[in-house]
Coordinates of all heavy atoms in Angstrom, one line a residue:
D191 N -3.6 -11.3 19.7 CA -2.4 -11.0 18.8 C -2.8 -11.1 17.3 O -2.4 -10.2 16.5 CB -1.3 -12.0 19.1 CG -0.6 -11.8 20.4 OD1 -0.9 -10.7 21.0 OD2 0.1 -12.7 20.9
E192 N -3.6 -12.1 17.0 CA -4.0 -12.2 15.6 C -4.9 -11.0 15.2 O -4.8 -10.5 14.1 CB -4.9 -13.5 15.4 CG -4.1 -14.7 15.0 CD -5.0 -15.9 14.7 OE1 -5.8 -15.8 13.9 OE2 -4.8 -16.9 15.5
L193 N -5.7 -10.6 16.2 CA -6.6 -9.4 15.9 C -5.8 -8.2 15.6 O -6.0 -7.4 14.7 CB -7.5 -9.2 17.2 CG -8.9 -8.7 17.0 CD1 -9.6 -9.5 16.0 CD2 -9.6 -8.8 18.4
V194 N -4.7 -8.0 16.4 CA -3.8 -6.9 16.2 C -3.2 -6.9 14.9 O -3.1 -6.0 14.1 CB -2.8 -6.8 17.4 CG1 -1.6 -5.9 17.0 CG2 -3.4 -6.4 18.7
Q195 N -2.7 -8.1 14.5 CA -2.1 -8.3 13.2 C -3.1 -8.0 12.1 O -2.7 -7.3 11.1 CB -1.6 -9.8 13.1 CG -0.7 -10.1 11.9 CD 0.5 -9.2 11.8 OE1 1.1 -8.8 12.8 NE2 0.9 -8.9 10.6
A196 N -4.3 -8.4 12.3 CA -5.3 -8.2 11.2 C -5.6 -6.7 11.1 O -6.0 -6.2 10.0 CB -6.6 -8.9 11.6
M197 N -5.4 -5.9 12.2 CA -5.8 -4.5 12.1 C -4.6 -3.6 11.5 O -4.8 -2.5 11.3 CB -6.1 -4.0 13.5 CG -7.4 -4.6 14.0 SD -8.1 -3.7 15.5 CE -6.8 -3.8 16.6
R198 N -3.5 -4.3 11.4 CA -2.4 -3.4 10.9 C -2.7 -2.8 9.5 O -3.3 -3.5 8.7 CB -1.1 -4.3 10.8 CG -0.6 -4.7 12.2 CD 0.8 -5.0 12.2 NE 1.6 -3.8 12.2 CZ 2.9 -3.7 12.1 NH1 3.6 -4.9 12.1 NH2 3.6 -2.6 12.1
G199 N -2.3 -1.6 9.3 CA -2.6 -0.9 8.1 C -3.8 0.0 8.2 O -4.1 0.8 7.3
M200 N -4.5 -0.1 9.3 CA -5.6 0.7 9.6 C -5.2 1.9 10.5 O -4.3 1.8 11.2 CB -6.7 0.0 10.3 CG -7.4 -1.1 9.6 SD -8.7 -1.8 10.6 CE -9.4 -3.0 9.5
T201 N -6.0 3.0 10.4 CA -5.8 4.1 11.3 C -6.4 3.7 12.7 O -7.2 2.7 12.7 CB -6.4 5.4 10.8 OG1 -7.8 5.2 10.8 CG2 -5.9 5.8 9.5
L202 N -6.1 4.4 13.7 CA -6.7 4.1 15.0 C -8.2 4.2 15.0 O -8.9 3.3 15.5 CB -6.2 5.0 16.1 CG -4.9 4.7 16.8 CD1 -4.7 5.6 18.0 CD2 -4.9 3.2 17.3
Q203 N -8.7 5.2 14.3 CA -10.2 5.4 14.2 C -10.8 4.2 13.6 O -11.8 3.6 14.0 CB -10.5 6.6 13.3 CG -10.4 7.9 14.0 CD -11.7 8.1 14.9 OE1 -12.5 7.2 15.1 NE2 -11.7 9.3 15.5
Q204 N -10.2 3.8 12.4 CA -10.8 2.6 11.7 C -10.7 1.4 12.5 O -11.6 0.6 12.6 CB -10.0 2.4 10.4 CG -10.2 3.5 9.3 CD -9.1 3.5 8.2 OE1 -8.1 2.9 8.4 NE2 -9.5 4.1 7.1
A205 N -9.6 1.2 13.2 CA -9.4 0.0 14.1 C -10.5 0.0 15.2 O -11.1 -1.1 15.4 CB -8.0 0.0 14.7
R206 N -10.7 1.1 15.8 CA -11.7 1.1 16.9 C -13.1 0.8 16.4 O -13.8 0.0 17.0 CB -11.7 2.5 17.5 CG -10.7 2.7 18.5 CD -11.0 3.9 19.4 NE -9.8 4.4 20.0 CZ -9.2 5.5 19.6 NH1 -9.8 6.3 18.7 NH2 -8.1 5.9 20.1
K207 N -13.4 1.4 15.2 CA -14.7 1.2 14.7 C -14.9 -0.3 14.4 O -16.0 -0.9 14.7 CB -14.9 2.0 13.4 CG -15.4 3.4 13.6 CD -15.8 4.0 12.3 CE -15.5 5.5 12.3 NZ -15.2 6.0 11.0
V208 N -13.9 -0.9 13.7 CA -14.1 -2.3 13.3 C -14.2 -3.2 14.5 O -15.0 -4.2 14.5 CB -13.0 -2.7 12.3 CG1 -11.7 -2.7 12.9 CG2 -13.3 -4.1 11.7
I209 N -13.5 -2.9 15.5 CA -13.5 -3.8 16.7 C -14.9 -3.6 17.4 O -15.6 -4.6 17.8 CB -12.4 -3.5 17.7 CG1 -11.1 -4.0 17.2 CG2 -12.7 -4.0 19.1 CD1 -11.0 -5.5 17.1
A210 N -15.3 -2.4 17.6 CA -16.6 -2.1 18.2 C -17.7 -2.8 17.4 O -18.6 -3.5 18.0 CB -16.9 -0.6 18.3
F211 N -17.7 -2.7 16.1 CA -18.7 -3.3 15.3 C -18.7 -4.8 15.4 O -19.7 -5.5 15.6 CB -18.5 -2.9 13.8 CG -19.5 -3.5 12.9 CD1 -20.8 -2.9 12.8 CD2 -19.3 -4.7 12.2 CE1 -21.8 -3.4 12.0 CE2 -20.3 -5.2 11.4 CZ -21.5 -4.6 11.3
A212 N -17.5 -5.4 15.3 CA -17.4 -6.9 15.4 C -17.9 -7.4 16.8 O -18.5 -8.4 16.9 CB -15.9 -7.3 15.2
A213 N -17.7 -6.6 17.8 CA -18.1 -7.0 19.2 C -19.6 -6.8 19.4 O -20.3 -7.7 19.9 CB -17.3 -6.3 20.2
L214 N -20.1 -5.7 18.9 CA -21.5 -5.4 19.2 C -22.4 -6.2 18.3 O -23.6 -6.5 18.7 CB -21.7 -3.9 18.9 CG -21.2 -2.9 20.0 CD1 -21.4 -1.5 19.6 CD2 -22.0 -3.2 21.3
D215 N -22.0 -6.6 17.2 CA -22.8 -7.3 16.2 C -23.4 -8.5 16.8 O -24.6 -8.8 16.6 CB -21.9 -7.6 15.0 CG -22.8 -8.0 13.8 OD1 -23.9 -7.4 13.7 OD2 -22.4 -8.8 13.0
D216 N -22.6 -9.3 17.6 CA -23.2 -10.5 18.2 C -23.0 -10.5 19.7 O -23.1 -11.5 20.4 CB -22.6 -11.8 17.6 CG -21.1 -11.8 17.6 OD1 -20.5 -10.8 18.2 OD2 -20.5 -12.7 17.2
G217 N -22.6 -9.4 20.3 CA -22.5 -9.3 21.7 C -21.2 -9.9 22.3 O -21.1 -10.0 23.5
K218 N -20.3 -10.4 21.4 CA -19.1 -10.9 22.0 C -17.9 -10.7 21.0 O -18.1 -10.6 19.8 CB -19.3 -12.4 22.3 CG -19.8 -13.2 21.1 CD -20.3 -14.6 21.6 CE -20.8 -15.3 20.4 NZ -21.7 -16.4 20.6
L219 N -16.7 -10.7 21.7 CA -15.5 -10.6 20.9 C -14.9 -12.0 20.9 O -14.5 -12.5 22.0 CB -14.6 -9.6 21.5 CG -13.4 -9.1 20.7 CD1 -13.8 -8.4 19.4 CD2 -12.5 -8.2 21.5
T220 N -14.8 -12.7 19.7 CA -14.3 -14.0 19.7 C -13.2 -14.2 18.7 O -12.9 -13.2 17.9 CB -15.4 -15.0 19.3 OG1 -15.8 -14.6 17.9 CG2 -16.6 -14.9 20.2
A221 N -12.6 -15.3 18.6 CA -11.5 -15.6 17.6 C -12.0 -15.4 16.2 O -11.3 -15.1 15.3 CB -10.9 -17.0 17.8
D222 N -13.3 -15.7 16.0 CA -13.9 -15.5 14.7 C -13.9 -14.1 14.2 O -14.0 -13.9 13.0 CB -15.4 -16.0 14.8 CG -15.6 -17.4 14.3 OD1 -14.5 -18.0 13.9 OD2 -16.7 -17.9 14.3
D223 N -13.8 -13.2 15.1 CA -13.8 -11.8 14.7 C -12.6 -11.4 13.9 O -12.6 -10.4 13.2 CB -14.0 -10.8 15.9 CG -15.5 -10.9 16.4 OD1 -16.4 -11.0 15.5 OD2 -15.7 -10.8 17.6
V224 N -11.5 -12.2 14.0 CA -10.3 -11.9 13.2 C -10.7 -11.8 11.7 O -10.3 -10.9 10.9 CB -9.3 -13.0 13.4 CG1 -8.1 -12.8 12.4 CG2 -8.8 -12.9 14.8
K225 N -11.6 -12.8 11.3 CA -12.0 -12.8 9.9 C -12.8 -11.6 9.5 O -12.6 -11.0 8.5 CB -12.9 -14.1 9.7 CG -12.2 -15.1 8.8 CD -13.1 -16.3 8.5 CE -12.6 -17.5 9.2 NZ -13.6 -18.3 9.8
R226 N -13.6 -11.2 10.4 CA -14.5 -10.0 10.2 C -13.6 -8.8 10.0 O -13.8 -8.0 9.1 CB -15.3 -9.9 11.5 CG -16.4 -9.1 11.6 CD -17.8 -9.4 11.1 NE -18.4 -10.6 11.6 CZ -19.2 -10.5 12.7 NH1 -19.5 -9.4 13.3 NH2 -19.8 -11.6 13.1
V227 N -12.6 -8.7 10.9 CA -11.6 -7.5 10.8 C -10.9 -7.5 9.4 O -10.8 -6.5 8.8 CB -10.6 -7.6 11.9 CG1 -9.5 -6.5 11.7 CG2 -11.4 -7.3 13.3
L228 N -10.5 -8.7 9.0 CA -9.8 -8.8 7.7 C -10.7 -8.4 6.6 O -10.3 -7.7 5.7 CB -9.3 -10.3 7.5 CG -8.0 -10.6 8.2 CD1 -7.7 -12.1 8.0 CD2 -6.9 -9.8 7.7
Q229 N -12.0 -8.8 6.6 CA -12.9 -8.4 5.6 C -13.1 -6.9 5.5 O -13.1 -6.3 4.5 CB -14.3 -9.1 5.8 CG -14.3 -10.5 5.3 CD -15.5 -11.2 5.8 OE1 -16.4 -10.6 6.5 NE2 -15.6 -12.5 5.6
R230 N -13.2 -6.3 6.7 CA -13.3 -4.9 6.8 C -12.1 -4.2 6.2 O -12.2 -3.2 5.6 CB -13.6 -4.5 8.2 CG -13.8 -3.0 8.4 CD -15.1 -2.5 7.8 NE -15.0 -1.0 7.8 CZ -15.2 -0.3 6.7 NH1 -15.5 -0.8 5.6 NH2 -15.1 1.0 6.8
K231 N -10.9 -4.8 6.5 CA -9.7 -4.2 6.0 C -9.7 -4.2 4.5 O -9.2 -3.2 3.9 CB -8.5 -5.0 6.6 CG -7.2 -4.4 6.1 CD -6.1 -4.6 7.1 CE -5.4 -5.9 6.9 NZ -4.2 -6.1 7.8
V232 N -10.2 -5.2 3.9 CA -10.3 -5.2 2.4 C -11.0 -4.0 1.9 O -10.6 -3.3 1.0 CB -11.0 -6.5 1.9 CG1 -11.2 -6.4 0.4 CG2 -10.3 -7.7 2.3
Q233 N -12.1 -3.7 2.6 CA -12.9 -2.5 2.2 C -12.2 -1.2 2.5 O -12.1 -0.3 1.6 CB -14.3 -2.5 2.9 CG -15.2 -3.6 2.5 CD -16.3 -3.7 3.5 OE1 -16.3 -3.2 4.6 NE2 -17.3 -4.6 3.1
V234 N -11.6 -1.1 3.7 CA -10.9 0.1 4.1 C -9.8 0.4 3.1 O -9.7 1.5 2.6 CB -10.4 0.0 5.5 CG1 -9.4 1.1 5.8 CG2 -11.5 0.0 6.5
L235 N -9.0 -0.6 2.8 CA -7.9 -0.3 1.9 C -8.4 0.0 0.5 O -7.8 0.8 -0.2 CB -7.0 -1.5 1.8 CG -6.2 -1.8 3.1 CD1 -5.2 -2.9 2.9 CD2 -5.5 -0.5 3.6
H236 N -9.5 -0.6 0.1 CA -10.0 -0.3 -1.2 C -10.5 1.1 -1.3 O -10.2 1.8 -2.3 CB -11.1 -1.3 -1.6 CG -11.6 -1.2 -3.0 ND1 -10.8 -1.7 -4.0 CD2 -12.6 -0.5 -3.6 CE1 -11.4 -1.4 -5.2 NE2 -12.5 -0.7 -4.9
E237 N -11.2 1.6 -0.3 CA -11.6 3.0 -0.2 C -10.5 3.9 -0.3 O -10.5 4.9 -0.9 CB -12.5 3.2 1.0 CG -13.9 2.6 1.0 CD -14.4 2.3 2.4 OE1 -13.9 2.9 3.3 OE2 -15.4 1.5 2.4
D238 N -9.4 3.5 0.4 CA -8.2 4.4 0.4 C -7.6 4.5 -1.0 O -7.0 5.5 -1.4 CB -7.2 3.8 1.3 CG -6.0 4.7 1.5 OD1 -6.2 5.9 1.8 OD2 -4.8 4.2 1.4
G239 N -7.8 3.4 -1.8 CA -7.6 3.6 -3.2 C -6.3 3.1 -3.9 O -6.2 3.0 -5.1
L240 N -5.3 2.8 -3.1 CA -4.0 2.5 -3.7 C -3.7 1.1 -3.8 O -3.1 0.6 -4.7 CB -2.9 3.2 -3.0 CG -2.9 4.7 -3.1 CD1 -1.9 5.4 -2.1 CD2 -2.7 5.2 -4.5
L241 N -4.2 0.3 -2.8 CA -3.9 -1.1 -2.7 C -5.1 -1.9 -2.7 O -6.1 -1.6 -2.0 CB -3.0 -1.4 -1.5 CG -1.6 -0.8 -1.4 CD1 -1.0 -1.2 0.0 CD2 -0.7 -1.4 -2.5
D242 N -5.2 -3.0 -3.5 CA -6.3 -3.9 -3.3 C -5.7 -5.0 -2.5 O -4.6 -5.5 -2.7 CB -6.7 -4.5 -4.7 CG -7.7 -3.5 -5.3 OD1 -8.4 -2.8 -4.6 OD2 -7.7 -3.5 -6.6
Y243 N -6.5 -5.5 -1.6 CA -6.0 -6.5 -0.6 C -6.8 -7.8 -0.7 O -8.0 -7.8 -0.7 CB -6.3 -5.9 0.8 CG -6.0 -6.8 2.0 CD1 -4.7 -6.9 2.5 CD2 -7.0 -7.5 2.5 CE1 -4.4 -7.7 3.5 CE2 -6.7 -8.4 3.6 CZ -5.5 -8.4 4.1 OH -5.2 -9.2 5.2
V244 N -6.0 -8.9 -0.9 CA -6.7 -10.2 -0.9 C -6.1 -11.0 0.2 O -4.9 -11.4 0.1 CB -6.4 -10.9 -2.3 CG1 -7.1 -12.2 -2.4 CG2 -6.7 -10.0 -3.5
P245 N -6.8 -11.4 1.2 CA -6.3 -12.2 2.3 C -6.1 -13.6 1.7 O -6.8 -14.0 0.8 CB -7.4 -12.2 3.4 CG -8.5 -11.5 2.8 CD -8.2 -10.9 1.5
P246 N -5.2 -14.4 2.3 CA -4.8 -15.7 1.7 C -6.1 -16.6 1.6 O -6.2 -17.3 0.6 CB -3.8 -16.3 2.7 CG -3.5 -15.2 3.7 CD -4.4 -14.1 3.5
E247 N -7.0 -16.6 2.5 CA -8.1 -17.5 2.5 C -9.1 -17.1 1.4 O -10.0 -17.9 1.1 CB -8.8 -17.7 3.8 CG -9.4 -16.4 4.4 CD -8.4 -15.5 5.1 OE1 -7.2 -15.8 5.1 OE2 -8.8 -14.5 5.7
M248 N -9.0 -15.9 0.8 CA -9.9 -15.6 -0.3 C -9.2 -15.6 -1.6 O -9.6 -14.9 -2.6 CB -10.4 -14.2 -0.1 CG -11.3 -14.0 1.1 SD -12.0 -12.4 1.1 CE -12.5 -12.2 2.8
N249 N -8.1 -16.4 -1.7 CA -7.3 -16.4 -2.9 C -7.3 -17.8 -3.5 O -6.6 -18.6 -3.1 CB -5.9 -15.9 -2.5 CG -4.9 -15.8 -3.7 OD1 -5.3 -16.3 -4.8 ND2 -3.8 -15.3 -3.5
P250 N -8.1 -18.0 -4.6 CA -8.3 -19.3 -5.1 C -7.3 -19.7 -6.2 O -7.5 -20.7 -6.9 CB -9.7 -19.3 -5.6 CG -9.9 -17.9 -6.0 CD -9.0 -17.0 -5.3
A251 N -6.3 -18.9 -6.5 CA -5.5 -19.0 -7.7 C -5.0 -20.4 -7.9 O -4.6 -21.1 -7.0 CB -4.3 -18.0 -7.6
Q252 N -5.0 -20.9 -9.2 CA -4.5 -22.2 -9.5 C -3.7 -22.1 -10.8 O -4.3 -21.7 -11.8 CB -5.7 -23.1 -9.8 CG -6.0 -24.1 -8.7 CD -7.0 -25.1 -9.1 OE1 -8.0 -24.8 -9.7 NE2 -6.7 -26.4 -8.9
L253 N -2.5 -22.4 -10.7 CA -1.6 -22.2 -11.8 C -1.1 -23.5 -12.4 O -0.5 -24.3 -11.6 CB -0.4 -21.3 -11.3 CG 0.7 -20.9 -12.3 CD1 0.1 -19.9 -13.3 CD2 1.8 -20.3 -11.5
G254 N -1.3 -23.7 -13.7 CA -0.7 -25.0 -14.3 C 0.7 -24.7 -14.8 O 0.9 -23.6 -15.3
G255 N 1.6 -25.7 -14.7 CA 2.9 -25.5 -15.2 C 3.8 -24.7 -14.3 O 3.6 -24.7 -13.1
F256 N 4.7 -23.9 -14.8 CA 5.5 -23.0 -14.0 C 6.3 -23.8 -13.0 O 6.6 -23.3 -11.9 CB 4.7 -21.9 -13.3 CG 4.2 -20.8 -14.2 CD1 3.3 -21.1 -15.2 CD2 4.6 -19.5 -14.0 CE1 2.9 -20.0 -16.1 CE2 4.2 -18.5 -14.8 CZ 3.3 -18.7 -15.8
N257 N 6.8 -25.0 -13.3 CA 7.4 -25.8 -12.3 C 8.7 -25.2 -11.8 O 9.1 -25.3 -10.6 CB 7.7 -27.2 -12.8 CG 6.3 -27.9 -13.0 OD1 5.4 -27.6 -12.3 ND2 6.3 -28.8 -14.0
G258 N 9.5 -24.6 -12.7 CA 10.7 -24.0 -12.3 C 10.5 -22.9 -11.3 O 11.2 -22.8 -10.3
L259 N 9.5 -22.0 -11.6 CA 9.2 -20.9 -10.7 C 8.7 -21.5 -9.4 O 9.1 -21.0 -8.3 CB 8.1 -20.0 -11.3 CG 7.6 -18.9 -10.4 CD1 8.6 -17.9 -10.2 CD2 6.3 -18.3 -11.0
K260 N 7.9 -22.5 -9.4 CA 7.3 -23.1 -8.2 C 8.5 -23.6 -7.3 O 8.4 -23.4 -6.1 CB 6.3 -24.2 -8.5 CG 5.0 -23.6 -9.0 CD 4.0 -24.7 -9.4 CE 2.7 -24.1 -9.9 NZ 1.9 -25.1 -10.6
Q261 N 9.4 -24.3 -7.9 CA 10.6 -24.8 -7.1 C 11.4 -23.6 -6.5 O 11.8 -23.7 -5.4 CB 11.5 -25.6 -8.0 CG 11.1 -27.1 -8.0 CD 11.7 -27.8 -9.2 OE1 12.8 -27.4 -9.7 NE2 11.1 -28.9 -9.6
W262 N 11.6 -22.6 -7.4 CA 12.4 -21.5 -6.9 C 11.7 -20.9 -5.6 O 12.3 -20.5 -4.6 CB 12.5 -20.4 -8.0 CG 13.4 -19.3 -7.6 CD1 14.7 -19.2 -7.8 CD2 13.0 -18.1 -6.9 NE1 15.2 -18.0 -7.3 CE2 14.2 -17.3 -6.8 CE3 11.8 -17.6 -6.4 CZ2 14.2 -16.1 -6.1 CZ3 11.8 -16.4 -5.7 CH2 13.0 -15.6 -5.6
L263 N 10.3 -20.8 -5.7 CA 9.6 -20.2 -4.6 C 9.7 -21.0 -3.3 O 9.7 -20.5 -2.2 CB 8.1 -20.0 -5.0 CG 7.8 -19.0 -6.1 CD1 6.4 -19.1 -6.6 CD2 8.1 -17.6 -5.6
Q264 N 9.7 -22.3 -3.5 CA 9.8 -23.2 -2.4 C 11.2 -23.0 -1.6 O 11.2 -22.9 -0.4 CB 9.7 -24.7 -2.7 CG 8.3 -25.1 -2.6 CD 8.0 -26.5 -3.2 OE1 9.0 -27.2 -3.5 NE2 6.8 -26.8 -3.3
R265 N 12.2 -22.8 -2.5 CA 13.5 -22.5 -1.9 C 13.5 -21.1 -1.2 O 14.0 -21.0 -0.1 CB 14.6 -22.6 -2.9 CG 14.9 -24.0 -3.4 CD 16.3 -24.1 -4.1 NE 16.4 -23.1 -5.2 CZ 15.9 -23.5 -6.4 NH1 15.4 -24.6 -6.7 NH2 16.1 -22.6 -7.4
A266 N 13.0 -20.2 -1.9 CA 13.0 -18.8 -1.4 C 12.2 -18.6 -0.1 O 12.5 -17.8 0.8 CB 12.5 -17.8 -2.4
R267 N 11.2 -19.5 0.1 CA 10.3 -19.4 1.2 C 11.1 -19.5 2.5 O 10.7 -18.8 3.5 CB 9.3 -20.5 1.1 CG 8.2 -20.3 2.2 CD 7.3 -21.5 2.1 NE 6.1 -21.2 2.8 CZ 5.0 -21.9 2.7 NH1 4.9 -22.8 1.8 NH2 3.9 -21.6 3.4
V268 N 12.1 -20.3 2.6 CA 12.9 -20.4 3.8 C 13.5 -19.1 4.3 O 13.8 -18.9 5.5 CB 14.0 -21.5 3.8 CG1 13.5 -22.8 3.4 CG2 15.1 -21.0 2.8
G269 N 13.6 -18.2 3.3 CA 14.2 -16.9 3.6 C 13.3 -16.1 4.6 O 13.8 -15.1 5.2
F270 N 12.0 -16.5 4.8 CA 11.2 -15.8 5.7 C 11.1 -16.5 7.1 O 10.4 -16.1 8.0 CB 9.7 -15.7 5.1 CG 9.6 -14.8 3.9 CD1 9.6 -15.4 2.7 CD2 9.6 -13.4 4.1 CE1 9.5 -14.6 1.5 CE2 9.5 -12.6 3.0 CZ 9.5 -13.2 1.7

Side-chain angles (χ1 to χ4, degrees):
D191 289 346
E192 269 184 60
L193 215 49
V194 165
Q195 187 59 30
M197 294 195 300
R198 293 204 73 184
M200 292 184 179
T201 64
L202 273 190
Q203 279 285 6
Q204 289 165 341
R206 280 201 202 103
K207 275 192 214 152
V208 64
I209 287 294
F211 182 82
L214 284 173
D215 198 31
D216 55 0
K218 54 195 179 200
L219 193 62
T220 62
D222 262 359
D223 286 324
V224 172
K225 251 186 247 134
R226 196 74 66 92
V227 170
L228 280 174
Q229 276 163 7
R230 181 66 192 130
K231 182 150 86 175
V232 178
Q233 289 164 353
V234 166
L235 292 187
H236 189 78
E237 284 155 18
D238 188 50
L240 293 171
L241 293 176
D242 277 332
Y243 173 86
V244 186
E247 62 278 5
M248 292 187 201
N249 181 350
Q252 253 191 316
L253 179 70
F256 283 65
N257 292 331
L259 175 70
K260 286 175 181 165
Q261 272 165 21
W262 187 91
L263 290 170
Q264 265 169 16
R265 287 197 304 275
R267 188 183 194 163
V268 302
F270 293 100

